[in-house]
Amino acid sequence: MEHIRTTKVEQVKLLDRFSTSNKSLTGTLYLTATHLLFIDSHQKETWILHHHIALVEKLALTTSGCQCIRSDPVIQCKNFRTVHFIVPRERDCHDIYNSLLQLSKQAKYEDLYAFSYNPKQNDSERLRGWQLVALAEEYKRMGVPNSNWQLSDANRDYKICETYPRELYVPRIASKPIIVGSSKFRSKGRFPVLSYYHQNKEAAICRCSQPLSGFSARCLEDEHLLQAISKANPANRYMYVMDTRPRHRMQSWWATQKDIGRIIVRISSKIWNDEKIRESDGKKRLNAMANRAAGKGYENEDNYSNIRFQFVGIENIHVMRSSLQKLLEVNGTKGLSVSDFYSGLENAGWLRHIKAVMDAAIFLAKAIMVENASVLVHCSDGWDRTSQVCSLGSLLLDPYYRTIRGFMVLIEKDWISFGHKYSERCGHLDGDPKEVSPVFTQFLECVWHLTEQFPQGFEFNEAFLLQIHEHIHSCQFGNFIGNCQKEREELKLKEKTYSLWPFLLDDQEKYFNPLYSSTSQKLAALEPNTVSFNFKFWRNMYHQFDGTLHPRQSVFNIIMNMNEQNKQLQKDVKDLESQIKQHKNKQTDGVLTKELLNSVRPESPALKTSLCLKEQTLLPVNDALRTIEGSNPADNRYSEYADEFSKAEPAVVSSEYGVARMTC
Amino acid sequence: MEFSELIRTGQAQAELLRGPEMPPLRGTLCVTGHHLLLSPGPQATPDLWLLLLRSVDSIEKRVAGDAGTITLRCKDLRVLQLDIEGVEATLDIARSIEALSSLESVITSFPFFYRPKGLRLGEAWHFHPPERYYKRIARETRAWRLSEANEDFSLCPSYPRAVIVPRAVDDDALARSARFRQGGRFPVLSYYHAPRGTVLLRSSQPLTGRQKLRCAEDEELLRAVLAEARPGARGFIVDTRSAQAAKQARMTGGGTEAKAAYPGWKRLHRPLERGRPLQESFVRLMEACGDPEQSMDRWLSRLDGCRWLSHVKEALSTACLAAQGMEWEGACILVHGAEGTDSTLLVTSLAQLILDPLSRTMAGFQELIEREWIQAGHPFQLRCAHSAFSHTRPKHEAPIFLLFLDCVWQLGRQFPLSLEFGEGMLLALFDHSYASPFGTFLCNSEKERCLCEVRTRTHSLWSGLNQPKEQRKLRNPLYVPNPLAIWPSVEPQSLRLWQGLFLRWTHPPEPSEVAWEKVWQIATDQKTEGSQPTDSASEPQP
């Protein structure tokens, strides 16, 4: 690879960002075409995929040895790993830095890891992997097509909407001209289509983008399509239209529009004719329009009957990006005090945003469960906030999506097929940094909050969510590459790359939630409680790689082990029973059976212990959960005193990191 | 004294509201000497609802029309509402509850009348005598001896009768050292860390005063500790006040050990909050927890503002420091603050949980609380007179014991397999420390308990908790003995608000309770599975 200037550097130190004693691991750093590899003196390997590198910084550092200012690379990864290397020679350091800068930002899709990754599968296995999650089957499972909903072939060739999939479900009474008309009225042609159909309630979740109406312009086809959606629900005459954007944002959006001319064109004749506004100056007019837009939503309520408009305030991608940035800054602080942590958490606003997404999804689920009403969700383009709300809403309503396979289907349906722009949002290529935003991460975090609140509601565990998060950035598999289905087909991803899902299914034992209860009626539709107390900082996500911050023992592992043992023991019981029966058949004398039973009895305890041992080696402690039994105090903050203990210092009390050092 | 004088009305019709998740109860409300009872009518469910009046923290009454409402805020952080028919009845009942819940006399309190079925009086008081632990140490080390110098509580009123001191120091020297320490709390052994042969001691501050007084016997005592631990052993004095506060204490007769007077000992200052600021922190935390409607930002800022989790972090890291000194440096540790009855005990007891696998068992934990809190003279009656809802100005109240329980909960969350007891045990200890039918947490010291004859006239909490029917609630089904020290992470990201306690009543815990039940089921399945083959095999007999 032409970008790699140096492939191997020895005597490199790896600093742990939370270890306080500045103790470091010394080892060798290797640069490969796809990974950065660090092997320490204990032969422990740390692999970092180039695609995971979000930021390489040179940190000015004064080394005690030579007192010269030098720079060592600090690498921040998209999976929230931060590594800090100290490279002994300035030139190597420079080479590594520049190589990583090149390698972490690829210009072409074809340079992504997925196109070179080869898990040694043949073509038919690869194809089977891609067919594992089939959306046509999923719609069949939901119960469409039926007498009210049908498959539309309008977008068969991506002619109506490039960012939608080919197969779309629409109300049966919506004709093709209506669809075409509506799509012209909606941003990026994303007209209202079915996202989820609730079979019992006969209500639907539909999604679209914002209308391009401005203020007045009506689109009869769009109005017809919405009517058709509400008529497709026999149980309820009215439907909801959820605009997931906050009102004040839209106001300010209108206020900041510089292109006044463009807006003037859209001005409704109704407002234009309003005497007061005509008399006032242009600026006031603009404000009035902004208010009108904000007050009424984009669709003009007068033109749509039987529709209830609902605003839920989820902020845009830029707010979310800077919120996460703030959160990571707080977390990365060494020697953080409790007070700084919570004020940082508050300032970042991250949990507030998570709560907003969750509240929106709950509103959606309630509209369907309680009111039997269909809901149409949109934001601006209908691929970020809309995906969050639709997918979370379906997750609350349908227990199938809370299974391992169902969750894959959900992601495939509401995120991948409906055109969430993974490549732009995750920054797969060297593109516009303003398009990067943790929208999908937020969705995963919402799901994690639900798993915390309903420990028995989900078939999968936290490790599953973390693994998916790992791979939306890794570009190791083809699923998340590209921004929409059309682009993915053009890239021939199904022929050139592999699907992630079969690999997750192969490992599914790791991702099972041992407490999962699939039959519980109470958990059919989830009704989470979103009081503020319930939202916690997701340590295992944002500190995945900071082992020193983790719980030292894992409950999940032990319960999994116990479950395995229970199964094994139950099997043994059956075996023994069948043996007894065999013996009985041979010996008709009942007295002998008793003897036999007696002979079985003393055996069982010994059998049990040997099985326990065997089982425990069968299921080794899961590395992903990082069980650190009796962890080392040197990893923790209070270990600063270890050095202090041995020194004889003058009596000084210095207050560092909010704790007083010892005096002597 | 007759309770009947304080009871203004016998009974009234009332409806009880117990929070959003529980159905309301209707029936006849009765005030007795120690309880508030609600007996539902004959047609309703037969269970009687009972509340110990001692557990009422504050009471608010409102009347409107010919009915009244009483809001009871309990010490276990529950909020109850009683809708009562009749204005007179409401006012009378409110006054009766107010008078009866604030009685200060120990010997008329409920534990002296509580006679549960199946328990024999005085039986469990000898479950965990500290003497047994001290005798074992004395036998194992030969450097320590059990002293009966405090047999009549004359040296130190807040110490138990038996204390353990270096063998080289005689009782006269103890008496002198006691006079040099506040409240007579001379340095005694708290924990012997056998793997490293080091010890943890606790005391109160030395009374050096402005004149920088010294006490030869006190110095000799600490010298003897080092000499007997190991030749050349070093010691650390962990002072739970800031250096500034320790210096200031000299003005009022207290102070801290002078460097020159105690060779081999180094002093560390780790300020821990105590007294009123800690109580205020608790009150503000509960205010924040009482408002489910607040926004995310408001909640986080109040959580930050109350500083409770900072106190948890400081307590844990100080305990880790002490434990680390023993385990890693092989040093002896002496912990004291001012009086040596609050933050001192917090640090010594937490350090033992970190280091000693025995104290992490059910019996060991009870023994630890008996030895390091109850017998060590933590003034429970003063500290737990009121909890977070009281309107009266706090005098001596401070939730030090609650802070200890919270730290233990954090340990349990980070080491979910290493504690034999579960969250239920910690909740039970919290409830009983504030209001209990048992006598264990009564009085402020062993001396007072002897005077009130607590041991012979009340039941021990340990006998109540050790009944088989309680075990499922109190034990940790996942416990696996772990012989290692457990070093927790004290980063703010690793600490969490103890929802099970602070949000116990505002927050429906149902889904997680069902899940916990499932964990129990899996764990017990496993333990009983081994015996199952024979059981099931005997079924298909002819």
Side-chain angles (χ1 to χ4, degrees):
Chain A
M1 292 283 286
E2 70 273 28
H3 301 310
I4 300 176
R5 298 178 178 211
T6 178
T7 54
K8 183 180 174 188
V9 184
E10 283 174 350
Q11 289 297 310
V12 173
K13 280 184 185 163
L14 172 66
L15 295 184
D16 182 321
R17 71 166 161 161
F18 287 103
S19 173
T20 45
S21 47
N22 275 351
K23 274 174 197 152
S24 55
L25 292 166
T26 307
T28 310
L29 191 66
Y30 298 89
L31 271 182
T32 73
T34 54
H35 286 83
L36 178 75
L37 169 62
F38 178 78
I39 302 181
D40 66 23
S41 47
H42 308 294
Q43 299 302 310
K44 208 187 125 226
E45 297 173 6
T46 307
W47 292 81
I48 296 172
L49 193 63
H50 294 324
H51 295 312
H52 270 143
I53 296 174
L55 191 67
V56 194
E57 278 178 314
K58 285 210 263 188
L59 198 72
L61 186 90
T62 318
T63 52
S64 51
C66 52
Q67 286 300 320
C68 59
I69 303 289
R70 31 167 299 135
S71 49
D72 289 302
V74 178
I75 299 168
Q76 278 184 23
C77 298
K78 291 169 183 168
N79 52 6
F80 309 116
R81 184 203 283 265
T82 302
V83 282
H84 184 179
F85 289 114
I86 292 184
V87 184
R89 274 173 46 205
E90 180 66 34
R91 232 200 66 198
D92 290 338
C93 179
H94 190 71
D95 284 348
I96 289 176
Y97 175 76
N98 284 321
S99 309
L100 286 178
L101 270 191
Q102 297 284 328
L103 290 165
S104 62
K105 290 279 178 203
Q106 301 293 355
K108 295 199 306 283
Y109 278 121
E110 284 72 18
D111 290 335
L112 293 177
Y113 184 32
F115 290 91
S116 57
Y117 174 65
N118 183 3
K120 303 204 172 62
Q121 280 190 346
N122 61 35
D123 284 352
S124 69
E125 278 174 313
R126 183 204 306 246
L127 191 65
R128 237 180 292 135
W130 278 112
Q131 286 165 346
L132 197 69
V133 173
L135 289 185
E137 270 171 46
E138 169 58 14
Y139 285 103
K140 217 178 281 166
R141 188 193 67 86
M142 286 182 210
V144 288
N146 58 21
S147 55
N148 288 318
W149 294 88
Q150 65 174 356
L151 176 66
S152 160
D153 59 357
N155 201 37
R156 180 117 297 170
D157 305 312
Y158 299 115
K159 279 207 178 114
I160 294 181
C161 174
E162 293 202 331
T163 56
Y164 268 169
R166 289 176 191 274
E167 296 186 345
L168 293 167
Y169 291 81
V170 293
R172 197 168 278 279
I173 54 172
S175 62
K176 195 167 176 186
I178 285 183
I179 291 171
V180 173
S182 166
S183 77
K184 285 183 181 145
F185 181 64
R186 296 270 168 185
S187 163
K188 309 274 192 319
R190 295 170 70 91
F191 62 96
V193 293
L194 181 80
S195 158
Y196 176 72
Y197 179 72
H198 197 289
Q199 225 164 345
N200 291 341
K201 302 273 175 190
E202 296 182 274
I205 302 177
C206 297
R207 53 186 292 169
C208 62
S209 62
Q210 64 184 345
L212 293 171
S213 65
F215 306 97
S216 67
R218 293 180 59 169
C219 173
L220 289 175
E221 289 92 340
D222 194 62
E223 287 161 29
H224 272 297
L225 186 53
L226 261 63
Q227 283 306 323
I229 291 174
S230 73
K231 276 187 194 143
N233 180 352
N236 200 328
R237 271 179 47 250
Y238 61 82
M239 66 180 283
Y240 282 99
V241 171
M242 277 176 82
D243 192 328
T244 55
R245 298 167 294 184
R247 283 168 187 239
H248 71 92
R249 283 272 155 202
M250 281 167 54
Q251 248 162 348
S252 57
W253 181 78
W254 281 106
T256 54
Q257 282 296 304
K258 285 178 193 124
D259 191 359
I260 292 173
R262 196 163 56 109
I263 290 170
I264 300 271
V265 175
R266 292 187 190 153
I267 288 171
S268 89
S269 54
K270 209 167 155 190
I271 295 183
W272 196 236
N273 292 333
D274 193 318
E275 288 296 317
K276 272 184 200 161
I277 292 177
R278 203 194 305 181
E279 282 164 18
S280 61
D281 61 8
K283 199 180 174 196
K284 267 192 189 159
R285 196 157 55 222
L286 203 64
N287 281 341
M289 288 188 295
N291 289 335
R292 181 177 162 76
K296 299 256 177 176
Y298 268 34
E299 292 91 348
N300 189 335
E301 236 169 301
D302 306 338
N303 301 338
Y304 295 90
S305 52
N306 292 333
I307 286 180
R308 300 182 179 184
F309 288 88
Q310 175 71 29
F311 281 87
V312 292
I314 304 174
E315 300 285 352
N316 64 28
I317 56 166
H318 310 294
V319 175
M320 299 307 189
R321 179 179 56 242
S322 74
S323 170
L324 180 64
Q325 198 53 47
K326 281 184 204 155
L327 182 79
L328 295 180
E329 270 165 34
V330 173
N331 292 340
T333 315
K334 206 170 163 183
L336 188 66
S337 77
V338 175
S339 184
D340 289 346
F341 176 64
Y342 280 99
S343 56
L345 214 57
E346 185 196 337
N347 288 337
W350 183 254
L351 291 176
R352 189 181 68 225
H353 299 316
I354 298 287
K355 179 170 151 58
V357 175
M358 200 87 113
D359 279 330
I362 291 168
F363 177 87
L364 172 68
K366 273 203 181 135
I368 289 183
M369 280 314 282
V370 180
E371 298 180 53
N372 262 22
S374 292
V375 187
L376 173 68
V377 184
H378 75 75
C379 49
S380 302
D381 288 321
W383 49 46
D384 293 314
R385 289 170 268 196
T386 303
S387 295
Q388 286 178 332
V389 174
C390 288
S391 56
L392 269 179
S394 321
L395 189 80
L396 293 178
L397 289 169
D398 193 336
Y400 173 67
Y401 295 131
R402 290 174 236 138
T403 62
I404 286 183
R405 199 179 270 264
F407 193 65
M408 296 172 178
V409 170
L410 183 68
I411 291 175
E412 197 72 45
K413 170 171 76 74
D414 268 318
W415 292 85
I416 297 175
S417 89
F418 278 114
H420 175 67
K421 304 200 286 177
Y422 276 105
S423 275
E424 289 197 354
R425 295 290 177 262
C426 302
H428 290 158
L429 298 179
D430 194 8
D432 184 358
K434 284 218 167 78
E435 284 291 326
V436 176
S437 186
V439 174
F440 189 73
T441 308
Q442 280 183 324
F443 164 68
L444 291 180
E445 179 159 343
C446 288
V447 177
W448 174 75
H449 274 109
L450 289 173
T451 63
E452 284 283 286
Q453 220 177 109
F454 300 96
Q456 295 192 276
F458 291 79
E459 191 189 19
F460 49 84
N461 59 24
E462 190 179 36
F464 185 61
L465 298 176
L466 293 177
Q467 192 66 17
I468 292 174
H469 185 260
E470 179 91 1
H471 285 298
I472 60 166
H473 295 291
S474 73
C475 301
Q476 187 174 354
F477 298 97
N479 306 57
F480 304 107
I481 289 174
N483 293 312
C484 60
Q485 290 296 58
K486 185 169 178 245
E487 197 174 359
R488 284 185 196 104
E489 284 173 20
E490 284 161 8
L491 288 168
K492 296 198 167 57
L493 288 174
K494 292 197 176 174
E495 292 142 53
K496 291 182 178 168
T497 70
Y498 295 86
S499 168
L500 167 66
W501 309 129
F503 292 88
L504 289 183
L505 278 180
D506 282 350
D507 270 355
Q508 59 179 327
E509 261 152 51
K510 268 199 237 166
Y511 307 124
F512 270 131
N513 169 13
L515 300 179
Y516 177 56
S517 148
S518 55
T519 50
S520 171
Q521 270 307 307
K522 270 188 183 166
L523 297 171
L526 301 184
E527 288 174 48
N529 186 342
T530 56
V531 293
S532 306
F533 317 134
N534 272 344
F535 292 89
K536 292 156 211 146
F537 172 69
W538 191 5
R539 181 196 49 214
N540 288 359
M541 170 66 104
Y542 303 104
H543 291 294
Q544 270 179 79
F545 298 95
D546 303 311
T548 53
L549 300 188
H550 284 256
R552 301 343 194 185
Q553 293 172 322
S554 155
V555 173
F556 267 123
N557 284 340
I558 190 109
I559 299 178
M560 288 300 264
N561 282 356
M562 283 178 173
N563 255 345
E564 281 303 308
Q565 286 174 32
N566 287 351
K567 268 184 219 153
Q568 183 65 39
L569 288 166
Q570 262 156 12
K571 198 175 144 266
D572 292 342
V573 171
K574 282 214 184 92
D575 287 352
L576 286 170
E577 274 171 13
S578 66
Q579 274 181 31
I580 288 169
K581 269 190 195 137
Q582 277 175 7
H583 278 281
K584 257 190 212 156
N585 290 345
K586 280 181 205 157
Q587 303 163 337
T588 44
D589 198 344
V591 187
L592 277 170
T593 322
K594 257 195 179 150
E595 273 172 25
L596 186 73
L597 279 173
N598 286 336
S599 71
V600 169
R601 212 166 283 163
E603 263 178 44
S604 29
L607 188 73
K608 189 192 164 209
T609 48
S610 68
L611 275 171
C612 288
L613 288 173
K614 194 177 88 196
E615 282 301 312
Q616 249 140 21
T617 48
L618 266 179
L619 265 175
V621 180
N622 186 352
D623 193 43
L625 288 163
R626 274 168 284 276
T627 301
I628 306 167
E629 180 75 75
S631 76
N632 192 326
D635 293 335
N636 293 300
R637 184 98 63 80
Y638 41 80
S639 65
E640 275 163 58
Y641 299 91
D643 300 335
E644 298 289 322
F645 274 132
S646 47
K647 268 186 235 161
E649 270 186 9
V652 179
V653 183
S654 76
S655 196
E656 196 175 324
Y657 308 140
V659 290
R661 282 171 180 258
M662 59 170 275
T663 56
C664 32
Chain B
M1 184 191 44
E2 288 293 319
F3 293 120
S4 56
E5 291 166 18
L6 300 169
I7 302 172
R8 289 166 168 262
T9 183
Q11 56 188 53
Q13 291 301 311
E15 187 173 48
L16 170 74
L17 304 169
R18 293 173 290 177
E21 297 300 304
M22 307 263 273
L25 276 182
R26 274 200 77 77
T28 313
L29 188 72
C30 269
V31 184
T32 72
H34 293 111
H35 286 96
L36 192 63
L37 323 169
L38 188 85
S39 138
Q43 70 279 12
T45 47
D47 344 345
L48 196 71
W49 178 83
L50 206 75
L51 178 75
L52 196 61
L53 283 173
R54 176 95 194 131
S55 70
V56 174
D57 204 20
S58 80
I59 172 165
E60 262 169 53
K61 52 183 183 283
R62 258 196 337 268
V63 285
D66 57 353
T69 301
I70 298 181
T71 307
L72 297 175
R73 288 169 209 277
C74 302
K75 290 175 182 166
D76 59 6
L77 310 178
R78 225 177 338 169
V79 179
L80 303 165
Q81 190 185 321
L82 284 164
D83 295 329
I84 299 170
E85 290 170 16
V87 173
E88 266 315 290
T90 310
L91 296 177
D92 282 345
I93 284 178
R95 262 178 240 139
S96 314
I97 295 174
E98 230 160 333
L100 287 164
S101 63
S102 55
L103 286 180
E104 289 196 351
S105 153
V106 172
I107 49 166
T108 58
S109 64
F110 184 59
F112 287 86
F113 299 88
Y114 181 53
R115 295 292 174 265
K117 259 184 266 168
L119 295 183
R120 276 211 337 271
L121 208 56
E123 137 191 276
W125 280 109
H126 299 288
F127 269 10
H128 311 294
E131 288 90 342
R132 195 192 295 158
Y133 177 76
Y134 295 148
K135 274 185 188 141
R136 184 164 66 83
I137 304 298
R139 206 168 49 237
E140 277 176 22
T141 61
R142 302 185 174 282
W144 295 82
R145 69 182 180 92
L146 204 63
S147 165
E148 285 171 357
N150 201 35
E151 182 62 35
D152 53 356
F153 305 108
S154 59
L155 289 194
C156 171
S158 61
Y159 273 166
R161 291 176 196 271
V163 290
I164 179 162
V165 292
R167 191 171 288 274
V169 179
D170 62 20
D171 285 357
D172 287 343
L174 287 184
R176 293 230 172 80
S177 172
R179 278 202 289 277
F180 183 61
R181 297 268 173 183
Q182 183 177 2
R185 294 175 71 91
F186 53 89
V188 293
L189 181 132
S190 155
Y191 166 63
Y192 172 67
H193 188 46
R196 296 299 307 266
T198 57
V199 292
L200 181 65
L201 308 167
R202 53 180 158 77
S203 70
S204 61
Q205 63 177 344
L207 299 172
T208 54
R210 259 178 251 229
Q211 302 91 344
K212 299 192 180 172
L213 296 177
R214 291 174 58 171
C215 170
E217 287 79 5
D218 193 68
E219 290 163 19
E220 176 53 37
L221 199 160
L222 288 187
R223 196 176 312 129
V225 169
L226 288 190
E228 285 169 14
R230 182 159 47 84
R234 289 174 311 143
F236 290 97
I237 298 169
V238 177
D239 194 325
T240 62
R241 302 163 294 177
S242 67
Q244 186 69 21
K247 212 176 251 176
Q248 263 171 6
R250 285 224 300 269
M251 298 299 134
T252 51
T256 187
E257 290 83 357
K259 202 176 13 162
Y262 297 88
W265 289 89
K266 275 185 192 173
R267 219 170 58 224
L268 306 171
H269 286 281
R270 292 298 305 255
L272 295 184
E273 208 58 86
R274 69 201 84 205
R276 191 172 297 170
L278 195 63
Q279 177 72 13
E280 275 162 13
S281 170
F282 180 32
V283 170
R284 289 172 67 188
L285 174 63
M286 283 319 297
E287 278 168 11
C289 289
D291 179 10
E293 301 300 317
Q294 64 200 326
S295 73
M296 199 70 225
D297 289 358
R298 179 100 182 95
W299 162 242
L300 288 173
S301 102
R302 289 172 92 172
L303 195 57
D304 172 24
C306 76
R307 299 192 36 80
W308 180 262
L309 284 169
S310 306
H311 302 322
V312 170
K313 177 186 149 86
E314 290 308 320
L316 268 177
S317 51
T318 308
C320 288
L321 171 71
Q324 200 186 342
M326 288 196 284
E327 168 83 11
W328 287 66
E329 306 297 321
C332 297
I333 307 278
L334 167 65
V335 185
H336 72 70
E339 291 162 327
T341 53
D342 294 293
S343 50
T344 306
L345 304 180
L346 179 66
V347 174
T348 57
S349 52
L350 281 176
Q352 293 181 49
L353 272 170
I354 291 165
L355 290 176
D356 182 11
L358 271 183
S359 68
R360 304 195 287 254
T361 63
M362 190 60 139
F365 187 60
Q366 293 178 3
E367 197 258 359
L368 182 77
I369 287 172
E370 183 75 30
R371 176 162 53 83
E372 285 296 290
W373 288 90
I374 297 167
Q375 302 272 339
H378 178 67
F380 276 100
Q381 201 178 342
L382 291 175
R383 297 289 180 259
C384 302
H386 284 290
S387 140
F389 294 130
S390 170
H391 298 305
T392 54
R393 209 175 139 71
K395 285 181 296 223
H396 303 287
E397 291 83 357
I400 282 274
F401 188 63
L402 169 60
L403 185 58
F404 164 72
L405 295 176
D406 196 340
C407 292
V408 177
W409 181 81
Q410 306 282 355
L411 281 176
R413 218 177 74 79
Q414 296 195 24
F415 296 89
L417 318 182
S418 296
L419 303 182
E420 195 182 9
F421 47 92
E423 186 180 35
M425 176 74 176
L426 302 176
L427 291 175
L429 287 172
F430 167 74
D431 292 347
H432 285 286
S433 67
Y434 276 88
S436 169
F438 296 100
T440 296
F441 290 110
L442 287 179
C443 302
N444 293 307
S445 65
E446 197 52 27
K447 185 183 177 188
E448 286 180 23
R449 275 186 284 273
C450 283
L451 287 173
C452 297
E453 300 172 74
V454 167
R455 276 166 185 267
T456 48
R457 295 177 52 196
T458 71
H459 282 283
S460 159
L461 173 63
W462 309 131
S463 63
L465 292 185
N466 289 340
Q467 293 175 85
K469 61 174 184 190
E470 301 285 334
Q471 297 311 300
R472 209 174 167 97
K473 227 166 55 197
L474 306 176
R475 279 179 192 268
N476 173 9
L478 304 174
Y479 173 65
V480 185
N482 169 9
L484 305 167
I486 53 175
W487 300 105
S489 161
V490 295
E491 297 293 332
Q493 292 97 319
S494 310
L495 302 177
R496 211 186 241 193
L497 182 73
W498 186 6
Q499 286 201 325
L501 183 103
F502 298 109
L503 297 167
R504 181 162 38 150
W505 310 105
T506 41
H507 197 68
E510 193 218 10
S512 49
E513 243 166 43
V514 179
W516 193 240
E517 201 44 47
K518 170 109 185 195
V519 173
W520 260 109
Q521 199 190 320
I522 294 171
T524 43
D525 266 9
Q526 192 195 14
K527 275 164 197 160
T528 54
E529 205 80 65
S531 58
Q532 219 162 320
T534 46
D535 295 347
S536 51
S538 52
E539 277 170 19
Q541 273 196 344

